[in-house]
Amino acid sequence: MGKGYNAAIAGNPYIVGSFACIGGGLFGLDISSMSGVLSNDAYKNTFGNPGSNAQGAIVASMPAGSLVGALAVTALADKLGRKRTIILSGWIWVIGSILQCAAVNRGMLVAGRVISGISVGLASATVPIYQSEITPPAIRGRLVSMQQWSITWGILIQYFVEFGCSYIDGVASFRIPWGLQMIPAIILSLGMLLFPESPRWLIDHNRNEEALQILADLHGKGDKTNDLVQLEYAEIQQQVQFERTEGAKSYLDLLKPGVFRRVGLGTSLQMWSQLSGMNIMMYYIIYVFQGAGLTGRRGNLIADSVQYVLNVLLTIPAIIYIDRWGRRPMLVIGTLLMGFWLFLVGGLQGRFGHWDSIDNNPTWVITGHDAATKAIIVCSYLFVCSFAVTMGPIFPMRVRAKAVSVSTATNWLFNFALAWAVPPGLSTIAYKTYFIFGTFNFAACIHIFFCFPETAGRTLEEVEEIFAQGHIFTAWKVDRNVGKKTVHDVLKDGKIDTGSEHEEHYNEKA
């Protein structure tokens, strides 16, 4: 029987860890598949010129499906495996894309977006698990951060497809982009056939020999007797045994002392990322720039595209340096900056804006103040840059399927609520919307400073010792070296003797 994957591909951790990121790109495709058509007359006429509440519901239908998908991860990722779940998510996305492309009314469009959302929910929860379980600790943060980068690429590519198709008259201007977005999902589902299953999942299902061979292909050039491979194999076995006896058997187990703290931090981080206001700048940037006084459909689309390009480019430094800079300082700085830019946008809108009507919808808009318009656009760009460099690449990686599904479900719950609430908010309380999200950012900064310890560059096992230190409300007191182990420590704990020469080899790899 064949391995079921390509051993040569498995030997490159960057290829293995980054290909699954296409699953994150699907979410990006969805964001701009909506943001790019909000000013499209053919779209508005086809779906009955949706008002602010109806448009919010259409956009929110995708994260509603993602909430279902994220909660289903426990049953699927633990039973089918990480690899098969990612493949399944790709095919579900194809079905959703077909329904959206063929949609003739709001009901059909919403159904397609809900199905696509289930796909994104599965992928968004499973891909980080897969990456964290199949890549070495030294590059794990970088590769999991690429999940966020793939989202920014999905947003950018789909937006430019939407921009190009906007020059087409009629329904093809939005149906073509909605149809083309199934291509990456097909590539994901077929391409994952060349990649191995998670060794941790295989050991958890008593398929130890397969897991050992995959570890050998991943880290030992196919040699099962390689000391590093044997060491990792023993560590995973110990951790799996621990999880079987002490791990979460049900969602109620996530409420146990120690576990609850980590699940709480994971869910709150997902919550804060949504409450940061990034939804406004991604889903509804057209509305933001309309309110700033940027008139003309083409001009607005071009200004929007600059924002998406910045989102892609400014995520790169964080991916490269995330393990060096640390997650904690990036989050503290990022939330402060984002709150500052949003308060500036709200202040400028409040000072120079007034109520008007755009497309028969009440809109708080700035007219005749070119400097204020440009300032709001610049602040919006700086907000996105601040998110991309600091908060964008941060994903919780410390927990397994049940805890990940809960934290990811929290992300989609808040995404759903905000995607629906922002259009009515902008049409009722206008510029005050920005003050609300700015306040959320400042609250997040305080929470992160007091409660979030640093976990950059740690193995999944070493993180246990970080939380064993306590400091629930004094996270800054946890030294960055707490929990770090040399290979000598690991070998001593695991009673494995590989010799000093191999200790040096492992330390160098780690």
Side-chain angles (χ1 to χ4, degrees), residues 74-368:
T74 297
L76 293 175
D78 280 349
K79 293 179 181 179
L80 293 181
R82 321 312 195 202
K83 174 180 173 178
R84 290 179 182 174
T85 302
I86 294 171
I87 291 172
L88 176 63
S89 72
W91 293 122
I92 294 175
W93 175 270
V94 170
I95 296 172
S97 296
I98 291 172
L99 284 174
Q100 291 178 69
C101 182
V104 294
N105 54 47
R106 293 182 193 174
M108 191 172 177
L109 175 59
V110 167
R113 288 182 57 76
V114 169
I115 292 173
S116 292
I118 293 173
S119 164
V120 172
L122 289 174
S124 64
T126 307
V127 169
I129 297 175
Y130 179 76
Q131 290 173 313
S132 66
E133 293 179 346
I134 210 163
T135 56
I139 63 171
R140 186 173 293 146
R142 190 176 306 158
L143 289 177
V144 175
S145 296
M146 290 186 70
Q147 167 82 340
Q148 173 65 23
W149 200 39
S150 68
I151 294 174
T152 67
W153 272 107
I155 295 171
L156 180 66
I157 292 171
Q158 179 72 350
Y159 192 84
F160 276 119
V161 171
E162 296 265 7
F163 182 78
C165 291
S166 70
Y167 289 90
I168 301 173
D169 292 328
V171 296
S173 61
F174 64 86
R175 295 200 190 279
I176 291 176
W178 289 357
L180 291 176
Q181 66 183 356
M182 70 180 71
I183 294 176
I186 294 172
I187 294 173
L188 173 67
S189 293
L190 295 178
M192 281 299 296
L193 297 174
L194 301 175
F195 291 84
E197 180 55 86
S198 159
R200 188 180 293 268
W201 182 85
L202 289 170
I203 290 175
D204 195 30
H205 288 73
N206 301 313
R207 295 163 63 177
N208 292 18
E209 189 60 31
E210 292 177 63
L212 180 58
Q213 182 61 61
I214 289 173
L215 285 171
D217 290 332
L218 285 171
H219 308 304
K221 298 182 179 179
D223 180 11
K224 295 181 184 179
T225 63
N226 179 282
D227 293 320
L228 174 60
V229 171
Q230 287 291 321
L231 177 61
E232 290 176 335
Y233 180 63
E235 279 191 294
I236 293 173
Q237 282 185 311
Q238 293 167 12
Q239 185 67 14
V240 167
Q241 182 60 36
F242 174 81
E243 290 176 356
R244 284 176 176 175
T245 57
E246 304 293 335
K249 303 297 187 301
S250 70
Y251 282 102
L252 290 177
D253 289 338
L254 300 180
L255 301 178
K256 290 181 178 179
V259 176
F260 178 72
R261 179 188 174 191
R262 273 169 282 183
V263 174
L265 291 178
T267 54
S268 62
L269 183 57
Q270 297 279 19
M271 176 190 73
W272 290 129
S273 71
Q274 292 301 316
L275 293 175
S276 69
M278 193 61 174
N279 273 324
I280 300 178
M281 299 304 179
M282 292 292 107
Y283 279 127
Y284 301 118
I285 189 61
I286 284 181
Y287 293 162
V288 173
F289 285 172
Q290 278 182 349
L294 186 63
T295 58
R297 181 181 169 195
R298 295 289 184 268
N300 201 321
L301 289 173
I302 292 171
D304 299 347
S305 67
V306 173
Q307 178 136 300
Y308 295 136
V309 170
L310 290 172
N311 194 25
V312 170
L313 295 179
L314 270 296
T315 303
I316 297 174
I319 292 174
I320 297 174
Y321 297 110
I322 183 173
D323 290 311
R324 185 182 306 174
W325 292 345
R327 295 169 176 81
R328 176 180 159 83
M330 290 171 67
L331 287 169
V332 171
I333 294 170
T335 48
L336 273 177
L337 288 174
M338 289 187 290
F340 176 72
W341 301 127
L342 287 176
F343 263 71
L344 275 181
V345 170
L348 290 168
Q349 284 272 15
R351 172 65 179 83
F352 297 104
H354 62 276
W355 283 110
D356 203 338
S357 177
I358 297 178
D359 297 330
N360 297 318
N361 288 315
T363 304
W364 184 272
V365 63
I366 293 174
T367 54

Side-chain angles (χ1 to χ4, degrees), residues 280-506:
I280 300 178
M281 299 304 179
M282 292 292 107
Y283 279 127
Y284 301 118
I285 189 61
I286 284 181
Y287 293 162
V288 173
F289 285 172
Q290 278 182 349
L294 186 63
T295 58
R297 181 181 169 195
R298 295 289 184 268
N300 201 321
L301 289 173
I302 292 171
D304 299 347
S305 67
V306 173
Q307 178 136 300
Y308 295 136
V309 170
L310 290 172
N311 194 25
V312 170
L313 295 179
L314 270 296
T315 303
I316 297 174
I319 292 174
I320 297 174
Y321 297 110
I322 183 173
D323 290 311
R324 185 182 306 174
W325 292 345
R327 295 169 176 81
R328 176 180 159 83
M330 290 171 67
L331 287 169
V332 171
I333 294 170
T335 48
L336 273 177
L337 288 174
M338 289 187 290
F340 176 72
W341 301 127
L342 287 176
F343 263 71
L344 275 181
V345 170
L348 290 168
Q349 284 272 15
R351 172 65 179 83
F352 297 104
H354 62 276
W355 283 110
D356 203 338
S357 177
I358 297 178
D359 297 330
N360 297 318
N361 288 315
T363 304
W364 184 272
V365 63
I366 293 174
T367 54
H369 294 280
D370 188 56
T373 298
K374 292 177 179 177
I376 289 174
I377 293 173
V378 170
C379 286
S380 300
Y381 289 160
L382 291 172
F383 171 89
V384 171
C385 291
S386 300
F387 181 91
V389 173
T390 60
M391 198 172 198
I394 304 295
F395 278 81
M397 301 174 287
R398 301 181 294 274
V399 285
R400 291 296 175 270
K402 283 186 177 62
V404 168
S405 71
V406 169
S407 61
T408 308
T410 302
N411 178 299
W412 295 117
L413 178 63
F414 278 88
N415 193 313
F416 165 75
L418 295 172
W420 196 330
V422 167
L426 290 174
S427 63
T428 53
I429 60 174
Y431 63 91
K432 297 175 185 176
T433 305
Y434 301 104
F435 292 138
I436 292 173
F437 285 104
T439 302
F440 282 141
N441 277 295
F442 294 137
C445 180
I446 295 171
H447 183 206
I448 291 164
F449 179 79
F450 282 100
C451 299
F452 281 70
E454 182 58 75
T455 61
R458 313 300 178 87
T459 68
L460 299 175
E461 289 74 24
E462 288 170 347
V463 171
E464 298 289 336
E465 295 192 24
I466 294 176
F467 285 95
Q469 295 289 309
H471 296 297
I472 297 176
F473 300 109
T474 55
W476 71 86
K477 291 185 178 180
V478 179
D479 189 89
R480 190 162 178 178
N481 291 318
V482 168
K484 286 189 176 180
K485 291 184 179 181
T486 65
V487 69
H488 176 75
D489 298 328
V490 175
L491 296 178
K492 183 179 178 181
D493 293 343
K495 296 182 175 58
I496 304 169
D497 185 12
T498 63
S500 60
E501 178 183 344
H502 295 117
E503 285 188 28
E504 293 175 6
H505 169 69
Y506 178 78

